[in-house]
Amino acid sequence: VDGDSDLTVQVSQMMHKYEILKKNIRDVINKYNSFVKEHKSFNEQYTGFIEWIGAVTDDLGQFGEIVGDLKILQERRNNIEELEELRTNESIKYDTIIEQGEKLYSHTSPDGKDFIRQQLKQLRKKWDNLTEEIQSNATKIDLCLQQFSDFTTSQEQLTKWLKDIEKHMQQHTELK
């Protein structure tokens, strides 16, 4: 009977240890599943954002072309302003993706950290290039619009001067 009670106690202790081990393993699995979800979410956000930057850059290339039509230039300037506003609104998403990537460092292997670091570096570079391109194209279009304005003013002054000359010539011929 003593042997049975010792065996019962040992079986009970083993069952208790087994349950604790099972719970610990479940916790570890859940933790790593969470890490996988975080990595997957980051990769999806990163890929989508890189694609968005590419699409905006393509649009920007189209809107940055200089043409000799004032109306088209004004439309392109408006389009560039819309892209700048869109970029400003997306800056929150950009910051979030950067933060997501940096949070992954703590539970990522050294090779994985380097890969994430490269992704974030590429994202920052593309973001900065987009910002610079928007600013550059806006400046280029603004300069062109200013030249149009200056030309129009000069044209109006020339037209006024020619009309004044014509008027003076008519007066001068009437006097003779």
Side-chain angles (χ1 to χ4, degrees):
V1 178
D2 277 341
D4 278 348
S5 71
D6 284 344
L7 188 58
T8 305
V9 169
Q10 287 178 344
V11 168
S12 175
Q13 289 174 345
M14 291 297 269
M15 288 295 291
H16 181 70
K17 286 180 182 180
Y18 170 76
E19 290 300 323
I20 290 174
L21 184 60
K22 192 167 92 172
K23 181 188 176 302
N24 288 343
I25 289 173
R26 193 175 313 123
D27 290 345
V28 168
I29 289 171
N30 288 338
K31 183 169 90 172
Y32 280 91
N33 281 338
S34 174
F35 293 162
V36 168
K37 285 179 187 176
E38 289 174 15
H39 279 271
K40 185 177 179 183
S41 173
F42 168 75
N43 285 334
E44 289 170 355
Q45 295 287 327
Y46 172 82
T47 302
F49 203 72
I50 291 290
E51 289 171 0
W52 176 82
I53 288 175
V56 171
T57 301
D58 290 345
D59 289 346
L60 192 56
Q62 177 186 359
F63 299 145
E65 290 180 22
I66 301 298
V67 293
D69 187 338
L70 179 62
K71 186 175 181 178
I72 291 174
L73 283 174
Q74 289 170 333
E75 286 174 11
R76 289 183 177 175
R77 180 61 177 121
N78 291 339
N79 290 334
I80 289 172
E81 285 177 7
E82 289 173 10
L83 289 179
E84 172 58 27
E85 186 176 322
L86 184 61
R87 189 204 65 80
T88 300
N89 292 339
E90 290 295 310
S91 66
I92 294 169
K93 190 172 187 178
Y94 165 77
D95 292 336
T96 301
I97 293 170
I98 295 292
E99 286 176 19
Q100 275 182 327
E102 290 172 347
K103 285 180 184 176
L104 296 177
Y105 291 151
S106 64
H107 50 72
T108 303
S109 70
D111 289 342
K113 286 179 188 177
D114 287 341
F115 185 73
I116 292 169
R117 216 173 267 116
Q118 288 302 316
Q119 284 180 305
L120 295 179
K121 181 179 177 183
Q122 181 185 19
L123 180 61
R124 285 183 181 106
K125 183 178 179 183
K126 286 182 178 283
W127 182 255
D128 291 345
N129 287 344
L130 176 63
T131 302
E132 289 171 13
E133 263 190 78
I134 288 173
Q135 186 59 44
S136 170
N137 284 344
T139 301
K140 187 168 60 172
I141 296 285
D142 286 345
L143 178 63
C144 197
L145 288 171
Q146 181 61 45
Q147 290 172 342
F148 252 108
S149 176
D150 293 347
F151 175 77
T152 302
T153 302
S154 296
Q155 183 183 23
E156 289 170 357
Q157 288 174 349
L158 178 62
T159 303
K160 183 182 180 293
W161 179 77
L162 287 173
K163 285 183 181 180
D164 287 347
I165 294 294
E166 182 181 9
K167 183 179 168 185
H168 287 309
M169 287 179 69
Q170 283 178 351
Q171 288 174 353
H172 185 52
T173 54
E174 287 175 6
L175 290 176
K176 287 188 172 186

